[in-house]
Amino acid sequence: MSLPEMNEGKIISDAWDYKGRPAERSKTGGWTAAAMILGVELFERLTTLGIAVNLVTYLTRTMHLGNAISANTVTNFLGTSFMLCLLGGFVADTFLGRYLTIAIFATVQATGVTVLTISTVVPRLRPPPCGGGAPCLAANGLQVTVLDLALYLTALGTGGLKSSVSGFGSDQFDESDRKEKSQMTNFFNWFFFFISIGSLCAVTILVYIQDNLGRKWGYGICASGIVLGIVVFFSGTRRYRLKKLAGSPLTQVATVIVAAWKNRRLELPSDLSLLYDVHDLYSSGLKQKKQRLPHSKQFRFLDKAAIIAPDMERGQQPTRKWRISTLTDVEEVKMVIRMLPIWATTILFWTVYAQMTTFSVSQATTMDVHIGKSFKIPPASLTVFFVGAILLTVPIYDRLVAPFCRKFTNNPQGLSPLQRIWVGLVLSILAMVGAALTEIKRLQAAELNGLTNDPEAEIPLTVFWLIPQFLLVGSGEAFTYTGQLDFFLRECPKGMKTMSTGLFLSTLSLGFFFSSALVSIVHRVTSTKKPWLADNLNKGKLYNFYWLLAVLSVVNLVLFTVAAKWYVYKDNRLVEDDGKEELGEQLKITEATYQA
């Protein structure tokens, strides 16, 4: 037997097949299994975006809800979807594993979309259409309840599914094998490609079907799509490589904090070797895969979690994890804490992003959407410029911007992760300035043509005036999303990638929730006089809302810049060398940080 053939039949030590047997390379994993996983992600993206991108027009035109309520419904739906990624990741790491998590939550998502489809078919589940002299009735309690049930079942399924798909796909490639490690990199490229294809289909084909053939057809296709995705996923069961449960990093964080609090009255020893660390686990005969990390002086209160209490004996320590943690565990938690200022100052970008699926779409519904004499662009399809900007920005950065920046910096990436995020935040400010100016022009056109009091009238102003704000936010997302993902995966401890990814996705969630809160506050404060967010946009002051977001984004950019200057990258702070030495430079940086 040749060497390649022997390699193909190699047993993979840390993976099992669907029957619990050690996985054999020639029979499990690889591109065949990964393709099945990519299929379910394609349909997940198609379904989620197919609902979200055009949801605001369904709420205002069919359910007869106000602009503020409709915008909040959309942002709450999207925010919940991303926030539940944390729950999905915890469940996958601690209880179910990624395979079962995907299977169960994909089924939940399919159930939610099916309920949504039914609500568009049954007349009693939506209010009667306006017109004919009859009053325009808003959706009643039952109709809103069924709609919310459908949306939040879909959000629950999306969160659980999204948290595990990329990780389960990477599980199909063995990092110890050079060929498969290279294939794993290609998998992430294809993963992004399939997400983009799903997004393009959602904002073009699905939106057109929803607006011209009816919601029941559009949402019915979404329901059929996710069911097909489940079938494709299950068809690969025999080929999947499954990994053992790793446990949730959230438990480690909680353990360190609780142990530090319990030991708060104890004094830290001057000799750090007296603190409990990974070498104590080895000496006790326990296995520990972590390397010892150099000690840092920041957040010294947490060091108390590693104090060996007087009533403890070495043999007892491992059984009392809520009373003691290794010093390396403490240092890993400190790494997470250091990332929090960056995490907090990236939330507002996603608040700006949220406006592209809410008020920007509402603006488009009042404008001239014709191309030629007969063809009309569905208002929600303007997001195709948003997706297109992302797809264009990534290769332009890779081929032009990054090589240019390499000439002036020592960074092989061109721009560091934090610099990329900074560029994205600047673009989001420009987008809100452009959106405010466009809204002023739209209101002037409505007033000049005597259409201010007619919310259903088509203002003779082409919808393409909205394209700059979509392009700017799309390009901003390309910088911010990739910068955040790179930052949170690079800077997190080795065993906390799932939680760090969850932190990243939670910025999206909190951005949407902050948008909902901001809309509610602005609507409540301004509704007594001339409302900024009126149900009739022609009589509102939406431009003031955009100006507010621009000002908040400028303040946020200043805070982010301060946080980025304070942050020291992990590679500049630590040196491995078996985890036992610190660079002299690291000591200087740490001391400078305290003085700051």
Side-chain angles (χ1 to χ4, degrees):
M1 181 181 292
S2 66
L3 183 59
E5 289 174 337
M6 292 175 63
N7 189 51
E8 285 298 320
K10 179 183 177 182
I11 297 298
I12 302 172
S13 60
D14 64 341
W16 287 261
D17 66 9
Y18 73 107
K19 288 187 176 181
R21 300 170 300 195
E24 189 175 335
R25 177 167 289 130
S26 61
K27 295 182 179 180
T28 63
W31 277 113
T32 302
M36 306 296 179
I37 299 168
L38 289 172
V40 74
E41 174 58 22
L42 169 67
F43 288 112
E44 181 276 323
R45 187 66 171 182
L46 179 73
T47 299
T48 304
L49 203 60
I51 292 171
V53 74
N54 205 19
L55 182 59
V56 71
T57 60
Y58 177 71
L59 297 173
T60 54
R61 292 181 173 181
T62 302
M63 303 301 283
H64 306 152
L65 301 176
N67 279 315
I69 295 175
S70 299
N72 282 355
T73 300
V74 175
T75 50
N76 286 339
F77 165 66
L78 290 171
T80 302
S81 298
F82 286 107
M83 183 59 75
L84 288 172
C85 289
L86 288 172
L87 172 65
F90 177 78
V91 169
D93 288 342
T94 310
F95 301 108
L96 298 178
R98 288 172 177 150
Y99 172 81
L100 282 178
T101 300
I102 293 172
I104 292 172
F105 283 93
T107 304
V108 173
Q109 186 186 42
T111 303
V113 182
T114 301
V115 174
L116 182 62
T117 305
I118 292 172
S119 72
T120 64
V121 175
V122 179
R124 290 186 58 190
L125 296 180
R126 61 184 189 278
C130 300
C136 192
L137 299 176
N140 60 35
L142 173 64
Q143 293 162 348
V144 171
T145 299
V146 172
L147 177 65
D148 286 343
L149 174 65
L151 291 178
Y152 288 106
L153 277 175
T154 303
L156 175 61
T158 300
L161 180 59
K162 192 181 292 291
S163 67
S164 298
V165 170
S166 60
F168 191 54
S170 66
D171 287 345
Q172 308 312 308
F173 303 96
D174 183 10
E175 288 190 85
S176 65
D177 181 79
R178 182 178 300 177
K179 179 181 177 182
E180 291 202 7
K181 186 175 182 179
S182 175
Q183 290 175 336
M184 186 190 297
T185 301
N186 290 332
F187 167 79
F188 285 114
N189 293 335
W190 280 105
F191 186 79
F192 182 77
F193 176 79
F194 271 73
I195 286 177
S196 301
I197 291 297
S199 300
L200 282 173
C201 291
V203 303
T204 53
I205 299 172
L206 271 181
V207 168
Y208 183 83
I209 290 173
Q210 290 169 6
D211 282 2
N212 292 276
L213 298 181
R215 298 288 172 154
K216 61 183 179 182
W217 290 103
Y219 294 153
I221 291 173
C222 290
S224 302
I226 193 62
V227 169
L228 180 59
I230 293 172
V231 172
V232 170
F233 178 74
F234 280 126
S235 67
T237 298
R238 292 176 178 271
R239 291 284 308 181
Y240 294 143
R241 292 175 188 168
L242 310 176
K243 300 290 183 74
K244 282 189 175 181
L245 299 179
S248 174
L250 291 173
T251 304
Q252 176 182 330
V253 175
T255 298
V256 169
I257 293 174
V258 170
W261 175 255
K262 287 184 176 181
N263 295 339
R264 65 189 183 279
R265 300 186 187 281
L266 300 179
E267 292 291 330
L268 278 170
S270 57
D271 185 356
L272 295 180
S273 65
L274 298 177
L275 294 176
Y276 187 56
D277 208 348
V278 292
H279 57 77
D280 292 311
L281 294 175
Y282 285 117
S283 64
S284 301
L286 298 175
K287 294 182 179 180
Q288 172 63 293
K289 295 181 180 179
K290 294 182 180 180
Q291 289 181 315
R292 185 180 177 187
L293 294 176
H295 178 256
S296 63
K297 295 180 180 179
Q298 283 179 306
F299 316 118
R300 295 203 62 178
F301 170 78
L302 295 177
D303 293 344
K304 293 191 174 186
I307 294 177
I308 301 173
D311 62 332
M312 291 184 183
E313 296 180 6
R314 291 279 177 184
Q316 294 178 331
Q317 290 156 19
T319 65
R320 304 182 64 176
K321 71 174 186 178
W322 292 100
R323 182 67 185 275
I324 191 167
S325 296
T326 67
L327 191 58
T328 293
D329 284 343
V330 172
E331 289 301 323
E332 289 184 341
V333 173
K334 288 182 180 181
M335 287 182 183
V336 175
I337 293 175
R338 290 187 190 103
M339 293 191 292
L340 292 183
I342 303 298
W343 169 83
T345 50
T346 54
I347 291 172
L348 195 62
F349 174 86
W350 301 106
T351 300
V352 171
Y353 172 98
Q355 311 316 311
M356 298 302 103
T357 57
T358 54
F359 290 119
S360 291
V361 175
S362 295
Q363 285 175 287
T365 61
T366 69
M367 301 171 75
D368 181 8
V369 294
H370 287 86
I371 295 182
K373 295 183 179 180
S374 57
F375 184 76
K376 290 185 176 182
I377 305 173
S381 286
L382 283 180
T383 49
V384 72
F385 294 101
F386 178 81
V387 178
I390 297 172
L391 296 178
L392 284 174
T393 301
V394 172
I396 289 174
Y397 171 78
D398 185 56
R399 298 295 180 181
L400 298 177
V401 178
F404 178 79
C405 293
R406 288 190 196 107
K407 294 181 180 180
F408 301 97
T409 67
N410 295 323
N411 190 341
Q413 291 180 306
L415 295 177
S416 69
L418 294 180
Q419 288 170 334
R420 275 178 278 162
I421 295 171
W422 190 89
V423 172
L425 295 179
V426 171
L427 290 173
S428 71
I429 295 171
L430 297 177
M432 288 298 94
V433 172
L437 295 175
T438 300
E439 175 61 8
I440 291 172
K441 185 174 183 63
R442 192 191 68 83
L443 290 177
Q444 289 174 346
E447 185 175 358
L448 286 173
N449 290 275
L451 301 175
T452 301
N453 295 319
D454 187 358
E456 302 296 326
E458 181 182 278
I459 299 172
L461 182 69
T462 178
V463 76
F464 291 116
W465 277 96
L466 298 175
I467 289 178
Q469 61 204 63
F470 281 98
L471 291 178
L472 286 167
V473 175
S475 296
E477 184 191 0
F479 280 100
T480 303
Y481 189 100
T482 57
Q484 280 185 284
L485 189 60
D486 191 0
F487 174 79
F488 283 101
L489 289 180
R490 176 198 291 189
E491 296 300 303
C492 73
K494 290 182 179 180
M496 293 190 177
K497 289 186 183 292
T498 300
M499 187 187 74
S500 189
T501 303
L503 271 178
F504 157 54
L505 292 174
S506 71
T507 63
L508 280 72
S509 173
L510 292 173
F512 290 125
F513 285 138
F514 183 69
S515 176
S516 297
L518 195 61
V519 167
S520 296
I521 293 170
V522 167
H523 188 60
R524 180 173 296 180
V525 171
T526 65
S527 60
T528 55
K529 298 179 181 179
K530 188 171 182 179
W532 289 8
L533 308 174
D535 292 340
N536 178 1
L537 282 183
N538 298 337
K539 299 183 71 173
K541 293 184 177 181
L542 179 60
Y543 58 88
N544 278 342
F545 184 69
Y546 286 145
W547 286 127
L548 175 63
L549 281 173
V551 171
L552 291 175
S553 296
V554 169
V555 174
N556 182 72
L557 179 65
V558 173
L559 296 175
F560 174 82
T561 303
V562 173
K565 285 184 175 295
W566 172 82
Y567 189 84
V568 179
Y569 284 105
K570 184 170 65 175
D571 291 343
N572 296 334
R573 192 171 55 241
L574 306 176
V575 60
E576 280 194 28
D577 192 21
D578 294 329
K580 296 180 180 179
E581 296 180 6
E582 290 185 60
L583 287 171
E585 182 65 20
Q586 185 257 330
L587 294 176
K588 296 177 183 177
I589 293 172
T590 303
E591 185 63 27
T593 301
Y594 297 136
Q595 293 175 359

